[in-house]
Structures are given as C-alpha cells and as structure tokens.
Amino acid sequence: MILGTSNPGTVRTSFGGVARNVAAALGWISELPVDLITAVGDDLIGSEAVSSLKHIGLPTGNVIRKPGFRTATYVAVHGQDGDMHVAVVDTSLYDSGPFFSVLRNGSVLRDSRYAIVDANLQVAELKLVAEQCLRYGVELMYEPTSVPKSTRMVRTGCLNAVSWMFPNEAEVVEMATAAAGRRVRSPHEGAEVLLNMGVSRVVITRGSKGADLCRKTEPRYIHFPAVKVERVVNTTGAGDVLAAGVVHAIATGRSDIDAMKFATHAASRSLLSHEAAPKSILSKL
C-alpha cells in the first residue's frame, strides 16, 4: 500500500459486526434458538442491515433503531494473503448506551442458557448483563472486540461472571494489565491474571498459530493448532465463528477440549469465504 494516494484493489461490502457474526454462525452451525440484541441508526445502512437479518432468519424484535445516529460501520484493508493490515471502525452509535431499554428488566436473559456480549457495550451495560447472568445462572461469554475496548469488562468489576472469553494476544495483555494494575508482559501471564480474577476460561486466539485454552483445571494450558485450509480468502470474523462453535459444542454436551477442537475447525473453514459467517460452509459442519 502507498500512503497519500489511491491504491487499486477489490472492494466488497457485507453486513457483519461481532454480535451479528456470532448469531449468524450459531444459526448455521446449531439448532439452538438465537436472539440478537443490537442497534442501528436511522440511515440507509441501518434499514438494509435489519433487512439482511430477516433474510438470514435472525429475529429483529430486539434491534433498536436510534434516530440521529449513524449505523456502526467497519472498513478493513486486507493483503493478498487475506490477513488484515488496518481497519477503521465508527461505533459512535454505541456510545449513547442504547441497550439499557432492552436489558434493564432482565426478561431477555432470564430464560437464556448462554449470553455472548462484546465490548461495543458501555461499561454500565456490560455490568448490568454480568449481574443478571449471575442472578439467573446464565453462562456469560465475552468478546473483547478490540484492544482499546477490551478492558470494559474488567472495569465492571464482574470478571467472576465470565465463563469464557475470547481475546487475541494483544487484548489479553491489555485486559490483564488493567486488572492487575501493573504491566503484564505475555499472553499466558495475562490469562493467569484473569483466571485469578474469576474468569473460568480464557481462549487466546493467535491467528495462523491457532488458539490456546487457558483454564483453572488441569491441564491449565492447551494449544490447538490452526487447521490448514487450501487458501485463506478472508480472516475477518474467524474469531466470531470460533466463539459460536464453542457455544454450540458445550450446549450439546461436549467437553472444553472437544468444544475447542470443533470451534477451531469451524473457524478455519470460515477462512475460505469472503463472508464473515458463511452459511454455505458452516451449515455443513
């Protein structure tokens, strides 16, 4: 890429976002009933996003429309190897705390078995979700989203509510540094800090190197190598598919280790598509 000028390339547009990708992947992989709580602006992209959810069969009853706001948008630049070089995200919509109206009465979580939240929620919203999961016995899973946002769950003071989290190497170090109040040097040291703070399992995603499951029971650290694929087309959303794969596997009675084996396989297959959660691939797992 040459800075300061336009660069020739291929541009593709699709709907995504952590919550949408996880929900869609769960819908393709599993027969579990899935509900999606998200927010869109009162713009064309928002209208099209809601239509796309209906098209793939996801419920839209808890999609919040926020007048005067732009729908969250993410632009990523990928190299020829499929890996992301840089990305820009506009999530100012979420800064308004749009989810309190749906989350406050607890009816959405009360009858749920699992809840997956990402760090696009504000700290107060994440705290509300964590407290309700503890109250109703819901297994809470956390997607840190990005390094700058990852510490939001730490700041809730409710890490003991988190059953699974799925940070990459940079995110786990950032979260652990915030939790410990000192500089954490390595991902495994970071996982140890978070486990000691109450998190049950930390899955460190490592891109082409696979993923590490870190937990309180022995063996405490288990590495799952990446499953080789013919050609990497797009890496965006692979971590979201991994999280969806874990939910499906544990919901169907598999152990932590078997859940990770299934999830890493699902994530690797998603690399073969330009879509973040490809139905054509995931529905065949």
Side-chain angles (χ1 to χ4, degrees), residues 123-183:
V123 173
E125 292 171 321
L126 288 170
K127 183 177 178 65
L128 180 60
V129 171
E131 290 173 344
Q132 289 183 359
C133 285
L134 287 172
R135 183 179 305 127
Y136 301 127
V138 179
E139 196 158 346
L140 178 61
M141 304 182 179
Y142 179 56
E143 276 266 21
T145 308
S146 68
V147 172
K149 294 180 179 179
S150 62
T151 60
R152 290 181 177 181
M153 182 59 80
V154 176
R155 287 151 54 196
T156 67
C158 296
L159 285 175
N160 61 310
V162 180
S163 180
W164 292 76
M165 62 167 54
F166 303 91
N168 61 28
E169 292 173 296
E171 290 162 351
V172 71
V173 168
E174 187 75 10
M175 286 190 291
T177 294
R182 59 176 175 79
R183 189 62 198 168

Side-chain angles (χ1 to χ4, degrees), residues 73-281:
T73 306
Y74 170 88
V75 179
V77 178
H78 293 260
Q80 291 182 344
D81 58 0
D83 278 339
M84 182 183 68
H85 286 188
V86 68
V88 177
V89 61
D90 175 5
T91 55
S92 56
L93 165 67
Y94 302 134
D95 295 339
S96 66
F99 301 110
F100 275 114
S101 59
V102 174
L103 296 171
R104 189 172 287 115
N105 64 18
S107 60
V108 176
L109 291 174
R110 188 178 298 119
D111 299 320
S112 300
R113 293 172 61 193
Y114 307 97
I116 305 175
V117 294
D118 64 54
N120 284 314
L121 276 70
Q122 298 299 299
V123 173
E125 292 171 321
L126 288 170
K127 183 177 178 65
L128 180 60
V129 171
E131 290 173 344
Q132 289 183 359
C133 285
L134 287 172
R135 183 179 305 127
Y136 301 127
V138 179
E139 196 158 346
L140 178 61
M141 304 182 179
Y142 179 56
E143 276 266 21
T145 308
S146 68
V147 172
K149 294 180 179 179
S150 62
T151 60
R152 290 181 177 181
M153 182 59 80
V154 176
R155 287 151 54 196
T156 67
C158 296
L159 285 175
N160 61 310
V162 180
S163 180
W164 292 76
M165 62 167 54
F166 303 91
N168 61 28
E169 292 173 296
E171 290 162 351
V172 71
V173 168
E174 187 75 10
M175 286 190 291
T177 294
R182 59 176 175 79
R183 189 62 198 168
V184 170
R185 300 296 179 183
S186 71
H188 276 191
E189 181 189 357
E192 193 68 31
V193 168
L194 295 171
L195 292 171
N196 290 336
M197 297 287 287
V199 179
S200 298
R201 304 166 193 84
V202 179
V203 176
I204 305 172
T205 59
R206 303 177 61 200
S208 61
K209 297 177 183 177
D212 295 344
L213 170 62
C214 310
R215 58 183 186 170
K216 295 179 178 179
T217 57
E218 296 294 339
R220 289 177 67 88
Y221 300 100
I222 309 168
H223 177 66
F224 296 84
V227 180
K228 300 294 184 182
V229 296
E230 301 82 45
R231 184 171 68 93
V232 175
V233 175
N234 179 21
T235 59
T236 300
D240 304 332
V241 173
L242 180 87
V246 166
V247 175
H248 163 72
I250 63 172
T252 52
R254 303 189 198 189
S255 67
D256 293 356
I257 294 175
D258 286 341
M260 283 296 299
K261 289 178 180 178
F262 175 82
T264 51
H265 173 68
S268 70
R269 301 306 296 170
S270 73
L271 302 175
L272 295 170
S273 173
H274 290 292
E275 299 177 49
K279 177 181 180 181
S280 60
I281 294 173

Side-chain angles (χ1 to χ4, degrees), residues 39-54:
V40 298
D42 60 347
D43 51 12
L44 179 60
I45 295 177
S47 298
E48 292 180 345
V50 173
S51 295
S52 77
L53 294 175
K54 294 177 179 177

